[in-house]
Amino acid sequence: GFTVLDERAAHDLLLRIIDELIKESDDSSDTALREAFARIATYMDIDRLRTTLLAIMGKSREFREFLALTGGSSENARAYILSALGYQNLQSEEEIYQNFVDALVDEDLLYIARVLVTGANTYKNMGDKIATWLALPRDKRGAQIPLLLEAFLTKDKQVRSIGAKLEKSNPEVLTMMDSVYESYCTMQDKIAALAQTAQTMDLLSLVGICLSRYVAGKKKHNALDFNDLILKTRELLENQSLQWVQYKLDEGKDHIMVDEAQDTKIHKWM
């Protein structure tokens, strides 16, 4: 026989496993684990981490399906997450910065700088910053992108005005500046996607550890939770070597009552 874990017991076991892992993180010999916790700590406190891990582990069946879909490979998982965010082959922030630099047209930037330095001091300063950035070797520009952005963007990250006089005499400059801004927004979206992917991978690595311990804990106590009951029942019905189960179910069963028929989870209907 086996013991059935109700929702409260399953929740308590998961929470105990999470808290044990959090306590271990500081002294763990697992460098990857320590680094994952260190990164997570920069944007999430312990209470939120605990709540997030519990929520993900509440979807343990979906998590296992995700692992099966990606073959258990971290590279495949990373590619899948990036694809879900609408991107392919984002490797590093440095590469994204360099792509931003390469997408800019030097001639347009130089033209903008020449126009700006003919204006008031504020606009001259903008033009000087662009010219200084253009004077850098191309392979050094990625690290100095903030210098260029100071010339184009306000503190609120909006395109700077160039004054009514310059706008009237050089309307094409506004179009060029808008193009730079669009490239900046694209760069920021890619950086955000890269960060989201890294954060998700860190959380998934912790979930993987917790679920492994959860499975071991259930095995130790010969227990099944609600998800196990669904999956084990499906496996029992689909196993061709256990046709006696189907035979027994067929005996004298004229009707089947379906409760919670609105539930769309495929495992329950299969």
Side-chain angles (χ1 to χ4, degrees):
F2 57 85
T3 302
V4 176
L5 290 178
D6 60 24
E7 289 187 12
R8 181 74 259 173
H11 176 275
D12 289 346
L13 177 56
L14 284 170
L15 190 57
R16 188 160 62 250
I17 289 169
I18 291 171
D19 286 340
E20 288 173 356
L21 184 62
I22 290 173
K23 289 178 182 177
E24 291 173 15
S25 62
D26 287 338
D27 301 321
S28 175
S29 59
D30 187 335
T31 303
L33 178 63
R34 290 201 313 274
E35 291 178 348
F37 267 104
R39 287 189 295 267
I40 290 171
T42 64
Y43 62 90
M44 186 180 293
D45 62 28
I46 293 297
D47 288 337
R48 188 179 168 199
L49 173 60
R50 186 183 290 111
T51 301
T52 300
L53 291 177
L54 272 174
I56 298 175
M57 288 190 291
K59 303 288 186 180
S60 60
R61 184 170 62 250
E62 290 85 346
F63 179 75
R64 286 194 291 267
E65 290 171 352
F66 174 76
L67 291 181
L69 181 66
T70 58
S73 162
S74 59
E75 283 302 311
N76 289 346
R78 181 180 183 278
Y80 185 92
I81 295 166
L82 278 173
S83 178
L85 294 172
Y87 293 99
Q88 305 288 339
N89 302 321
L90 293 183
Q91 296 302 321
S92 66
E93 288 189 5
E94 290 74 18
E95 180 182 289
I96 294 171
Y97 292 144
Q98 193 57 50
N99 288 341
F100 169 74
V101 170
D102 293 341
L104 299 177
V105 180
D106 284 10
E107 290 77 9
D108 289 351
L109 293 176
L110 186 58
Y111 182 83
I112 294 170
R114 286 172 174 169
V115 170
L116 290 175
V117 295
T118 65
N121 286 337
T122 296
Y123 310 121
K124 287 179 181 177
N125 289 336
M126 291 165 59
D128 287 342
K129 288 177 180 177
I130 296 172
T132 299
W133 188 81
L134 283 171
L136 295 170
R138 181 166 286 274
D139 62 347
K140 303 295 183 183
R141 293 179 183 177
Q144 295 299 322
I145 286 175
L147 173 64
L148 179 67
L149 296 180
E150 284 177 15
F152 281 93
L153 305 179
T154 65
K155 291 182 179 179
D156 296 329
K157 304 303 180 185
Q158 298 300 313
V159 180
R160 288 186 183 278
S161 166
I162 62 172
K165 184 177 179 181
L166 289 179
E167 284 184 17
K168 185 176 180 179
S169 59
N170 301 276
E172 69 282 359
V173 169
L174 292 178
T175 301
M176 293 176 178
M177 291 180 70
D178 284 341
S179 178
V180 173
Y181 180 68
E182 288 176 8
S183 295
Y184 161 76
C185 290
T186 298
M187 177 186 71
Q188 289 299 99
D189 287 344
K190 289 179 178 180
I191 292 293
L194 205 61
Q196 283 181 287
T197 300
Q199 291 167 5
T200 302
M201 292 295 293
D202 283 338
L203 289 171
L204 290 180
S205 69
L206 300 188
V207 169
I209 295 171
C210 290
L211 283 179
S212 294
R213 295 184 181 186
Y214 179 60
V215 170
K218 288 188 296 181
K219 186 175 181 180
K220 178 180 178 181
H221 298 290
N222 198 28
L224 299 176
D225 62 16
F226 185 61
N227 279 334
D228 294 327
L229 294 178
I230 295 172
L231 293 174
K232 295 295 184 184
T233 300
R234 179 176 178 177
E235 290 172 9
L236 197 62
L237 293 174
E238 291 180 341
N239 192 327
Q240 295 301 312
S241 65
L242 296 174
Q243 292 183 350
W244 63 269
V245 175
Q246 298 176 16
Y247 176 78
K248 284 291 186 181
L249 289 174
D250 284 341
E251 284 185 343
K253 303 297 187 295
D254 298 322
H255 302 87
I256 297 176
M257 184 183 77
V258 179
D259 190 19
E260 299 293 330
Q262 78 278 6
D263 198 318
T264 57
K265 293 183 176 64
I266 190 170
H267 294 284
K268 294 183 181 179
W269 281 100
M270 292 298 285

